[in-house]
Amino acid sequence: MIHPHPDAAIVIGILALQGAFIEHQDALQKISLQKKIEVIQVRTAEELAKCAALVIPGGESTTIALLARLSGLLEPLRQFVKTKPVWGTCAGAILLSKNVEGAKKGGQELLGGISITIARNGWGSQVESFEADLDVPLLRDPERPFTGIFIRAPVVLSLDTTPEDPPIKVISRLSPHYLPESLTSSNLTHEPKTFVALQQGLHFLTTFHPELTQDNRFHEYFVRECVLPSLPPPLQ
Amino acid sequence: MSAIAPSVSNAINNAIPQSADGAAAPLSAPSRAIPREGGNSLGTFGVKSGLAQMLKGGVIMDVVNAEQARIAEEAGACAVMALERVPADIRKEGGVARMSDPQMIKEIVNAVTIPVMAKVRIGHFVEAQILQVIGVDYIDESEVLTPADEEHHINKHNFKVPFVCGARNLGEALRRISEGAAMIRTKGEAGTGNVVEAVRHERTVMAEIRRASSMNEEELYTFAKDIQAPFHLLKETARLKHLPVVNFAAGGITTPADAALMMHLGCDGVFVGSGIFHSGDPAKRARAIVQAVTHYNNPKILAEVSENLGAAMVGVTIDKNLQGGEFAKRGW
């Protein structure tokens, strides 16, 4: 591996096949850090190869997966996920999960990366979309809640970690009052369903949309806790 | 929206004594109790316009049954528009075009996992109430259907479900946003297979935004009067240099090149109506248009996806003899 010059910018890619990718770009560019961040839009394998980390935005997961396959990006993305930090929001969270329920007929392609089972459209149709204040004890200004915007959001159904997997850290959870009845009526524990932001190793997942707010604390968290630790140590 | 939310939650926070074990549980619990009953956090403008943000860079396809909806989903549509007749057939067959049968819309909702939109007539708020109840994800208050009201549009603030509305110019777009539209589509001329009006409307909106963004406040007051737009929305648009909501192009888009052209002119995504299922190979054409919207800036990919798509919709010229009339002129 070539060690980049210590002053070189960290290149973070935003998968720009479909969805709200510009908003992630704007939020990442506003982070102030000692190291420079360069944000690029990724639509080809060549662009992906330049990136030290990747954000998969919200959008339609079926559309993004199909475009990834047609653009020859599916395998390069799967390889990328194995070694580099990736953050998925909403549709991106679905793609980053190991298993999905409520997939389209015939199933849908995933990238994997985080050992969970996730359900698409956990709350139902758009009229059930909502905003909720989230507790964010691990972010900057932890006493200030974060406005979670949940749009046809997925729900984490279970954690499926094996002994070899890195542990899953819950970064933020939703008050159980917000869960739809269809999810709380079963006898199974509904605890994982309240998990709306998770970290496993270098990977990060949010079922809501931090990029639609002006608050970039989740973007900061991803860079600080996932991207920076993954970079090779500077040469002495 | 994000600026308001924390202060609301702080107000709740101050009113409710904190439990000894910290702020965790009590902080979010009360804010749920209030919105579920009062509807405050459901259907906010944030979540309504936010869904449109998620559709960006995508293609929304007209479908008339569950089978077509599945073809559209497999081809990468980011949403489908459920309707009984595509605009080209409405032109040909004439008569009054209304909201589709709720049963048919429900079949489409059950067939796919992507968002489903459906159309209501301009001003027909009861059709909109029906669509909200059956759980569509977006309502199009559309000039393609026969208008129910020739003076008033629906007060879209009254609904939890978001609306998309057509516009030919900046004034019309801002009037619709003022009524609560969470997404705008430039009208084009639906059901013609001819992109010329879509180009005219998108260019008009973008040119007017560019003009507004170079004006001082006195000039903006006069411009708002001239284009019959609410001043505060015009000022916000001038500052942002784009519409305050997502803007798709529609009406006559038939080929991958048409879709890419519209993306170059500044829209965020496209609607394709009659152009797909009135063509020789709908699945292939649909997929090619989806790729063209993503890679609109890459002529090499556009060349590849444009090959061997089979027969395109024939299309018609748009003049005073246009069968069914000019839909784009409906809307006030």
Side-chain angles (χ1 to χ4, degrees), chain B residues 3 34 37 40-41 51 63 83 103 110 142 153 177 198 216 300 306:
Chain B
I34 298 162
E37 283 146 33
N40 287 335
S41 94
L51 178 56
V63 297
L83 71 177
Q103 174 63 34
N110 292 333
S142 177
H153 282 256
I177 295 168
N216 66 20
K300 194 168 152 278
S306 299

mmCIF file of all heavy atoms in Angstrom, chain B residues 3 34 37 40-41 51 63 83 103 110 142 153 177 198 216 300 306:
data_model
loop_
_atom_site.group_PDB
_atom_site.id
_atom_site.type_symbol
_atom_site.label_atom_id
_atom_site.label_comp_id
_atom_site.label_asym_id
_atom_site.label_seq_id
_atom_site.Cartn_x
_atom_site.Cartn_y
_atom_site.Cartn_z
ATOM 1 N N ALA B 3 -33.689 23.913 12.871
ATOM 2 C CA ALA B 3 -33.501 25.017 13.796
ATOM 3 C C ALA B 3 -34.642 25.074 14.808
ATOM 4 O O ALA B 3 -34.450 25.478 15.934
ATOM 5 C CB ALA B 3 -33.438 26.329 13.022
ATOM 6 N N ILE B 34 -47.078 13.822 22.244
ATOM 7 C CA ILE B 34 -47.739 15.000 21.681
ATOM 8 C C ILE B 34 -48.003 14.823 20.184
ATOM 9 O O ILE B 34 -49.142 14.880 19.758
ATOM 10 C CB ILE B 34 -46.912 16.280 21.951
ATOM 11 C CG1 ILE B 34 -46.824 16.487 23.468
ATOM 12 C CG2 ILE B 34 -47.538 17.486 21.288
ATOM 13 C CD1 ILE B 34 -45.716 17.420 23.905
ATOM 14 N N GLU B 37 -50.849 12.393 18.882
ATOM 15 C CA GLU B 37 -52.218 12.889 18.990
ATOM 16 C C GLU B 37 -52.416 14.141 18.151
ATOM 17 O O GLU B 37 -53.386 14.274 17.427
ATOM 18 C CB GLU B 37 -52.569 13.174 20.458
ATOM 19 C CG GLU B 37 -52.871 11.903 21.238
ATOM 20 C CD GLU B 37 -52.418 11.974 22.680
ATOM 21 O OE1 GLU B 37 -52.452 13.083 23.254
ATOM 22 O OE2 GLU B 37 -52.012 10.933 23.234
ATOM 23 N N ASN B 40 -47.988 16.535 15.160
ATOM 24 C CA ASN B 40 -46.928 17.516 14.958
ATOM 25 C C ASN B 40 -45.707 16.957 14.248
ATOM 26 O O ASN B 40 -45.116 17.624 13.427
ATOM 27 C CB ASN B 40 -46.480 18.092 16.300
ATOM 28 C CG ASN B 40 -47.528 19.023 16.852
ATOM 29 O OD1 ASN B 40 -48.311 19.573 16.079
ATOM 30 N ND2 ASN B 40 -47.556 19.184 18.153
ATOM 31 N N SER B 41 -45.306 15.724 14.592
ATOM 32 C CA SER B 41 -44.063 15.239 14.013
ATOM 33 C C SER B 41 -44.307 14.360 12.799
ATOM 34 O O SER B 41 -43.414 14.084 12.034
ATOM 35 C CB SER B 41 -43.238 14.487 15.057
ATOM 36 O OG SER B 41 -43.502 13.113 15.002
ATOM 37 N N LEU B 51 -38.808 13.275 1.451
ATOM 38 C CA LEU B 51 -38.986 12.121 0.558
ATOM 39 C C LEU B 51 -38.589 12.500 -0.867
ATOM 40 O O LEU B 51 -37.925 11.732 -1.563
ATOM 41 C CB LEU B 51 -40.423 11.583 0.590
ATOM 42 C CG LEU B 51 -40.694 10.409 -0.362
ATOM 43 C CD1 LEU B 51 -39.739 9.236 -0.129
ATOM 44 C CD2 LEU B 51 -42.133 9.918 -0.251
ATOM 45 N N VAL B 63 -47.448 3.924 -14.493
ATOM 46 C CA VAL B 63 -47.833 2.522 -14.670
ATOM 47 C C VAL B 63 -49.347 2.408 -14.506
ATOM 48 O O VAL B 63 -49.944 3.157 -13.730
ATOM 49 C CB VAL B 63 -47.125 1.598 -13.658
ATOM 50 C CG1 VAL B 63 -45.616 1.619 -13.867
ATOM 51 C CG2 VAL B 63 -47.451 1.974 -12.223
ATOM 52 N N LEU B 83 -51.816 5.165 -12.402
ATOM 53 C CA LEU B 83 -52.965 5.828 -13.027
ATOM 54 C C LEU B 83 -53.658 4.873 -14.000
ATOM 55 O O LEU B 83 -53.082 3.864 -14.396
ATOM 56 C CB LEU B 83 -52.586 7.157 -13.693
ATOM 57 C CG LEU B 83 -51.761 7.212 -14.957
ATOM 58 C CD1 LEU B 83 -51.622 8.661 -15.396
ATOM 59 C CD2 LEU B 83 -50.388 6.634 -14.781
ATOM 60 N N GLN B 103 -58.859 0.559 -5.625
ATOM 61 C CA GLN B 103 -58.500 -0.861 -5.633
ATOM 62 C C GLN B 103 -57.266 -1.100 -6.509
ATOM 63 O O GLN B 103 -56.328 -1.796 -6.130
ATOM 64 C CB GLN B 103 -59.702 -1.675 -6.160
ATOM 65 C CG GLN B 103 -59.425 -3.164 -6.365
ATOM 66 C CD GLN B 103 -59.073 -3.873 -5.063
ATOM 67 O OE1 GLN B 103 -59.599 -3.524 -4.008
ATOM 68 N NE2 GLN B 103 -58.171 -4.839 -5.125
ATOM 69 N N ASN B 110 -49.253 -2.823 -3.202
ATOM 70 C CA ASN B 110 -48.873 -4.130 -2.667
ATOM 71 C C ASN B 110 -47.846 -4.854 -3.534
ATOM 72 O O ASN B 110 -47.189 -5.778 -3.063
ATOM 73 C CB ASN B 110 -50.116 -5.015 -2.508
ATOM 74 C CG ASN B 110 -51.024 -4.483 -1.421
ATOM 75 O OD1 ASN B 110 -50.556 -3.822 -0.487
ATOM 76 N ND2 ASN B 110 -52.310 -4.731 -1.543
ATOM 77 N N SER B 142 -52.606 17.054 -10.671
ATOM 78 C CA SER B 142 -52.066 17.043 -12.032
ATOM 79 C C SER B 142 -52.990 17.621 -13.090
ATOM 80 O O SER B 142 -54.184 17.309 -13.145
ATOM 81 C CB SER B 142 -51.734 15.598 -12.411
ATOM 82 O OG SER B 142 -51.286 15.545 -13.745
ATOM 83 N N HIS B 153 -56.455 25.779 -6.306
ATOM 84 C CA HIS B 153 -55.757 24.504 -6.139
ATOM 85 C C HIS B 153 -56.048 23.975 -4.733
ATOM 86 O O HIS B 153 -56.614 24.688 -3.898
ATOM 87 C CB HIS B 153 -54.254 24.700 -6.348
ATOM 88 C CG HIS B 153 -53.874 24.788 -7.800
ATOM 89 N ND1 HIS B 153 -53.284 23.757 -8.478
ATOM 90 C CD2 HIS B 153 -54.052 25.784 -8.700
ATOM 91 C CE1 HIS B 153 -53.090 24.112 -9.730
ATOM 92 N NE2 HIS B 153 -53.546 25.343 -9.895
ATOM 93 N N ILE B 177 -45.846 25.991 -4.220
ATOM 94 C CA ILE B 177 -45.107 25.733 -2.979
ATOM 95 C C ILE B 177 -45.793 26.474 -1.828
ATOM 96 O O ILE B 177 -45.932 25.953 -0.722
ATOM 97 C CB ILE B 177 -43.628 26.161 -3.131
ATOM 98 C CG1 ILE B 177 -42.942 25.287 -4.191
ATOM 99 C CG2 ILE B 177 -42.892 26.056 -1.803
ATOM 100 C CD1 ILE B 177 -41.587 25.793 -4.637
ATOM 101 N N ALA B 198 -41.155 20.472 -22.312
ATOM 102 C CA ALA B 198 -40.403 20.211 -21.080
ATOM 103 C C ALA B 198 -39.153 21.086 -21.053
ATOM 104 O O ALA B 198 -38.806 21.676 -20.025
ATOM 105 C CB ALA B 198 -40.038 18.731 -20.982
ATOM 106 N N ASN B 216 -31.702 43.198 -6.508
ATOM 107 C CA ASN B 216 -31.731 43.693 -5.135
ATOM 108 C C ASN B 216 -33.167 43.607 -4.621
ATOM 109 O O ASN B 216 -34.085 43.222 -5.348
ATOM 110 C CB ASN B 216 -31.142 45.099 -5.036
ATOM 111 C CG ASN B 216 -31.982 46.127 -5.777
ATOM 112 O OD1 ASN B 216 -33.168 45.904 -6.052
ATOM 113 N ND2 ASN B 216 -31.380 47.251 -6.114
ATOM 114 N N LYS B 300 -20.381 8.841 -23.201
ATOM 115 C CA LYS B 300 -19.990 7.489 -23.596
ATOM 116 C C LYS B 300 -21.013 6.469 -23.065
ATOM 117 O O LYS B 300 -21.480 5.596 -23.799
ATOM 118 C CB LYS B 300 -18.586 7.194 -23.049
ATOM 119 C CG LYS B 300 -17.939 5.991 -23.652
ATOM 120 C CD LYS B 300 -16.442 5.946 -23.279
ATOM 121 C CE LYS B 300 -15.952 4.505 -23.258
ATOM 122 N NZ LYS B 300 -16.278 3.817 -21.989
ATOM 123 N N SER B 306 -28.191 3.873 -25.144
ATOM 124 C CA SER B 306 -29.180 4.257 -26.159
ATOM 125 C C SER B 306 -29.298 3.240 -27.288
ATOM 126 O O SER B 306 -30.209 3.338 -28.122
ATOM 127 C CB SER B 306 -28.818 5.626 -26.756
ATOM 128 O OG SER B 306 -28.818 6.615 -25.752
#
